[in-house]
C-alpha cells in the first residue's frame, strides 16, 4: 500500500528531524572549509593533486574505519547518543586548525582529526536513526535525514562563496566562521535528541564474538560488498572541485560546483528514499549506477563550466538515489542489537574502497589527465553493474 506523502511526513519521529538539522549544521561548517580546501592547498600551500588525493582518501577512510569501533561500542553499551555527541564535538573542535594551517602536514592532521570525529559519530547516529524509526517508513526517514544533511552541504559552499567575495579571497577568515555552525550542531544534538530505552534486559555480549557475527547473514554481507563497489566507482568529490577550476571558473565561485551537486542531492534524496520503501532496491541501485556513468562521461568530455555543472548535477542524482538506500538496506538486513556493528563493518569496507579510489584518481589525474580519471570511474561503474546482474541478492533484501 502506498503511503501518501503528507502521511509519511507526519509519521516520521521528531528525533529524525532533529538529527537531520544536526547533520545540516555540521555540514554547513564542514563544507565551508572542504569546498575551498583543495584550491587553498594548491594555490596557497603548493600541494600536488596526488597528495590531495592521498589526504582525501586517508581522511575519508579514517572516518569510515573508525565507525566500526564506535558501532561495536554502541551495541555493547546499548547507548548511541553519547558517542554521537563526542563525535560531533570533536568535529567542531578541529575546525580552527584549518584556519591556522600553514603547511600541508597541518591540513592533513586537521582533516584526519575532523574525520575521526565523523567516524565516532557515524555508526551510532545511523543505528540511533534505525532504533527511532518504524521499519515501514525507514527509507523515507533515512532519505529525509540525508536531504537535510545535504541542504547543509550546499548552504556551506554558498556561504563560502559570499564570504570569499566579501573578504577578497581570504580563505582563513572563512575557515574561522565555519566554527560557529559546528558548535551549534553539538548543542542541538545534546539538548534536542532523546534516546529510546533499549528493550534488552539481559547482559550484553561482545558484538564481534563469532556467534554474534554469524547473525549478520549473507544478505547483509552482500550489501556490504555492493556498498564497497559503489564507493570504488565514486572517488572523492574534491576532484569535482578541481575539474571546475580547470575550466577557468574564478576561485571565489568554484564552491558553486558543490552547491549544484548538493542542491540536486538534497532534492532527490527524500523522494528516492520514500520510493525505496515501495519498490525494488536493485532497480534503484542500477539506475544510480547509470547516472554515475553518465556523470563520469560528461565530466571526461570537457572542462567548460556548463559541461562540468551538467556532470556534477548527474553526480548529485546518483548520490540521492543510492546513499540513503544503502543505509536503509543495512538496517533491513542486520539484527536490531547489532545495528551499530553492522554499520561499522559496512563503513570499514567502504572506507578501504574510498582510500583506494581517491589515491588511484589522484595518480591518474597527475599522470594521464582528468579525462582518463573520469573514464576509469565509469569503467568501475560498469563492473558494478555486471556484479549486480550476477547476484540476485535483493530477493533476500527487498523484492
Amino acid at each position: 500500500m502506498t503511503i501518501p506523502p503528507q502521511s509519511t511526513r507526519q509519521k516520521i519521529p521528531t528525533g529524525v528531524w532533529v538529527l537531520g538539522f544536526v547533520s545540516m549544521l555540521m555540514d554547513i561548517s564542514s563544507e565551508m572549509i572542504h569546498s575551498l580546501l583543495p584550491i587553498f592547498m594548491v594555490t596557497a600551500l603548493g600541494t600536488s593533486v596526488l597528495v590531495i588525493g592521498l589526504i582525501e582518501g586517508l581522511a575519508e577512510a579514517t572516518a569510515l574505519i573508525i565507525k566500526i569501533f564506535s558501532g561495536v561500542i554502541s551495541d555493547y553499551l546499548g547507548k548511541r547518543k553519547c558517542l554521537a555527541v563526542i563525535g560531533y564535538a570533536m568535529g567542531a573542535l578541529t575546525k580552527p586548525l584549518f584556519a591556522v594551517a600553514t603547511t600541508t602536514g597541518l591540513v592533513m592532521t586537521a582533516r584526519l582529526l575532523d574525520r575521526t570525529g565523523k567516524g565516532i559519530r557515524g555508526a551510532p547516529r545511523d543505528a540511533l536513526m534505525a532504533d527511532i524509526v518504524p521499519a515501514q517508513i525507514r527509507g523515507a526517514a533515512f532519505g529525509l535525514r540525508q536531504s537535510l544533511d545535504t541542504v547543509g552541504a550546499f548552504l556551506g559552499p554558498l556561504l563560502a562563496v559570499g564570504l570569499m567575495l566579501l573578504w577578497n579571497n581570504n580563505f582563513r577568515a572563512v575557515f574561522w566562521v565555519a566554527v560557529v555552525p559546528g558548535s551549534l550542531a553539538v548543542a542541538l544534538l545534546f539538548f534536542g535528541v532523546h534516546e529510546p530505552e533499549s528493550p534488552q534486559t539481559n547482559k550484553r555480549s561482545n558484538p564481534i564474538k563469532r556467534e554474534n557475527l554469524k547473525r549478520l547473514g549473507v544478505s547483509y554481507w552482500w550489501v556490504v560488498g555492493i556498498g564497497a563497489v559503489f564507493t570504488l566507482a565514486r572517488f572523492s568529490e574534491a576532484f569535482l572541485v578541481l575539474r571546475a577550476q580547470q575550466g577557468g571558473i574564478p576561485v571565489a565561485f568554484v564552491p558553486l560546483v558543490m552547491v549544484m551537486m548538493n542542491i540536486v542531492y538534497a532534492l532527490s534524496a527524500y523522494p528516492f528514499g520514500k520510493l525505496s520503501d515501495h519498490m525494488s532496491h536493485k532497480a534503484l541501485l542500477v539506475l544510480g549506477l547509470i547516472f554515475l556513468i553518465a556523470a563520469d562521461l560528461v565530466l571526461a568530455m570537457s572542462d567548460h563550466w556548463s559541461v562540468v555543472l551538467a556532470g556534477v548535477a548527474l553526480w548529485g542524482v546518483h548520490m540521492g538515489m543510492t546513499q540513503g538506500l544503502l543505509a536503509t538496506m543495512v538496517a533491513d538486513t542486520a539484527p536490531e542489537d547489532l545495528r551499530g556493528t553492522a554499520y561499522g563493518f559496512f563503513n570499514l569496507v567502504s572506507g578501504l574502497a574510498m582510500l583506494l579510489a581517491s589515491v588511484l584518481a589522484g595518480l591518474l589525474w597527475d599522470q594521464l589527465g582528468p579525462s582518463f580519471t573520469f573514464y576509469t570511474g565509469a569503467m568501475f561503474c560498469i563492473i558494478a553493474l555486471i556484479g549486480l546482474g550476477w547476484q540476485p541478492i535483493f530477493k533476500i533484501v527487498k523484492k
Side-chain angles (χ1 to χ4, degrees):
M1 179 178 176
T2 301
I3 302 174
Q6 184 61 32
S7 176
T8 301
R9 285 196 294 271
Q10 290 174 346
K11 289 183 179 179
I12 292 177
T14 302
V16 174
W17 287 93
V18 176
L19 286 170
F21 283 113
V22 168
S23 294
M24 182 185 74
L25 286 168
M26 186 56 74
D27 249 35
I28 290 173
S29 176
S30 295
E31 292 303 324
M32 286 181 70
I33 294 174
H34 299 159
S35 62
L36 295 172
L37 196 59
I39 309 304
F40 172 71
M41 294 175 70
V42 169
T43 60
L45 303 181
T47 309
S48 71
V49 176
L50 175 59
V51 172
I52 291 174
L54 177 62
I55 291 173
E56 287 297 312
L58 285 172
E60 294 304 326
T62 297
L64 296 172
I65 291 169
I66 288 175
K67 285 182 182 180
I68 189 171
F69 300 105
S70 61
V72 168
I73 292 170
S74 76
D75 283 339
Y76 182 74
L77 297 176
K79 300 294 182 182
R80 321 286 195 191
K81 178 180 171 179
C82 179
L83 287 168
V85 170
I86 291 171
Y88 275 105
M90 188 172 182
L93 290 172
T94 59
K95 296 297 187 279
L97 294 178
F98 294 100
V100 300
T102 57
T103 65
T104 300
L106 186 53
V107 170
M108 182 174 181
T109 300
R111 190 84 169 97
L112 291 176
L113 289 174
D114 178 54
R115 296 297 89 178
T116 297
K118 182 176 181 179
I120 291 172
R121 67 184 181 252
R125 182 204 61 208
D126 290 342
L128 179 59
M129 278 275 299
D131 292 344
I132 291 173
V133 180
Q136 65 269 24
I137 59 166
R138 193 172 284 148
F142 273 99
L144 174 64
R145 193 206 67 80
Q146 197 67 63
S147 287
L148 290 171
D149 178 275
T150 311
V151 168
F154 71 73
L155 288 179
L158 276 178
L159 283 171
V161 169
L163 293 175
M164 286 286 281
L165 291 171
L166 180 65
W167 292 333
N168 195 26
N169 294 340
N170 189 333
F171 289 97
R172 298 182 192 280
V174 177
F175 294 167
W176 277 114
V177 174
V179 175
V180 176
S183 302
L184 291 174
V186 179
L188 179 59
L189 175 61
F190 185 81
F191 293 107
V193 176
H194 302 285
E195 185 168 7
E197 291 294 328
S198 172
Q200 183 166 335
T201 57
N202 58 310
K203 183 179 179 181
R204 292 177 180 270
S205 62
N206 182 353
I208 56 175
K209 287 175 64 175
R210 178 178 297 181
E211 54 265 34
N212 281 330
L213 292 180
K214 284 181 178 179
R215 294 166 56 209
L216 297 173
V218 173
S219 58
Y220 164 75
W221 289 109
W222 273 114
V223 172
V224 171
I226 291 299
V229 175
F230 268 65
T231 305
L232 194 63
R234 188 192 66 251
F235 37 78
S236 170
E237 288 148 17
F239 293 95
L240 302 181
V241 175
L242 293 171
R243 188 58 161 160
Q245 185 200 25
Q246 283 191 326
I249 297 177
V251 171
F253 290 103
V254 167
L256 291 177
V257 171
M258 297 306 297
V259 172
M260 164 66 81
M261 191 205 78
N262 286 306
I263 286 175
V264 175
Y265 188 0
L267 291 175
S268 60
Y270 174 72
F272 281 117
K274 183 173 179 294
L275 188 62
S276 73
D277 288 327
H278 309 289
M279 70 169 289
S280 165
H281 287 168
K282 181 176 180 179
L284 277 178
L285 289 176
V286 168
L287 192 58
L289 280 171
I290 291 171
F291 270 88
L292 185 55
I293 291 172
D296 280 325
L297 294 178
V298 169
L299 289 165
M301 287 168 48
S302 170
D303 60 8
H304 188 272
W305 66 269
S306 59
V307 177
V308 172
L309 289 180
V312 166
L314 290 168
W315 194 288
V317 174
H318 156 79
M319 296 288 284
M321 285 182 177
T322 61
Q323 297 312 287
L325 173 59
L326 289 168
T328 301
M329 290 166 63
V330 172
D332 288 345
T333 55
E336 182 177 350
D337 62 316
L338 291 178
R339 281 176 180 154
T341 303
Y343 280 110
F345 275 113
F346 176 84
N347 289 299
L348 168 64
V349 176
S350 296
L352 296 174
M354 175 62 75
L355 174 60
L356 176 60
S358 294
V359 173
L360 177 61
L363 181 62
L364 292 173
W365 190 292
D366 275 348
Q367 299 298 318
L368 299 173
S371 293
F372 197 88
T373 302
F374 288 110
Y375 284 131
T376 302
M379 181 190 70
F380 279 120
C381 291
I382 293 171
I383 293 172
L385 279 174
I386 294 172
L388 283 175
W390 280 351
Q391 293 293 340
I393 63 170
F394 301 94
K395 291 180 180 178
I396 301 171
V397 178
K398 186 177 182 73
K399 291 183 181 181

